[in-house]
Amino acid sequence: MRDWKLEFASLYDYADMIKTTNPESSCWIKIDKETKPGKNLFVYFYVFFHAFKQGWLEGCRKIIGFNGFFLKGACKGELLIAVGKNGNNQMYPIVWAVVDTETKHSWD
């Protein structure tokens, strides 16, 4: 794996590629440039694939579970995820986000 700072810088390219190659999908990145002038502080990275939404609507029970997991190491934060249950009673990912902290705004 390359330097994590270089990987972080490529998030915008990844988000653009998701939007370009997956019509009706969304991917948002928020960076805070005001708290510490001259530094870009990560706030959140959100990914929603339209195909996952369609798969959930067409093949899953209409139940959504939410959960969050703490990320440890060089890049701290939380992974938030919404999952459904498919016909085989297995978890089906719907949407996920990586956030700096879990707040009401990060779940909106």
Side-chain angles (χ1 to χ4, degrees), residues 56 59-63 83-87 89-92:
W56 180 76
C60 292
R61 299 175 189 166
K62 303 307 179 233
I63 298 171
V83 297
K85 276 194 164 183
N86 67 14
N89 210 28
Q90 297 171 324
M91 289 192 299
Y92 183 88

Side-chain angles (χ1 to χ4, degrees), residues 2-100:
R2 298 185 301 174
D3 181 8
W4 65 270
K5 290 180 183 180
L6 294 173
E7 296 291 334
F8 179 77
S10 66
L11 279 179
Y12 287 104
D13 296 333
Y14 180 60
D16 289 340
M17 188 60 68
I18 288 173
K19 293 174 191 175
T20 302
T21 59
N22 298 278
E24 300 183 53
S25 296
S26 58
C27 186
W28 304 324
I29 300 171
K30 182 168 183 181
I31 304 296
D32 177 3
K33 296 181 180 184
E34 297 174 6
T35 302
K36 291 187 178 180
K39 291 201 173 203
N40 295 334
L41 300 176
F42 176 80
V43 179
Y44 64 75
F45 179 76
Y46 164 88
V47 180
F48 172 72
F49 289 106
H50 181 70
F52 284 179
K53 175 185 175 185
Q54 290 306 114
W56 180 76
L57 289 172
E58 295 173 12
C60 292
R61 299 175 189 166
K62 303 307 179 233
I63 298 171
I64 298 177
F66 299 98
N67 207 344
F69 306 91
F70 291 101
L71 303 174
K72 299 180 180 185
C75 301
K76 309 248 186 284
E78 290 186 56
L79 171 66
L80 305 178
I81 187 165
V83 297
K85 276 194 164 183
N86 67 14
N88 293 328
N89 210 28
Q90 297 171 324
M91 289 192 299
Y92 183 88
I94 301 169
V95 62
W96 65 90
V98 177
V99 299
D100 60 343

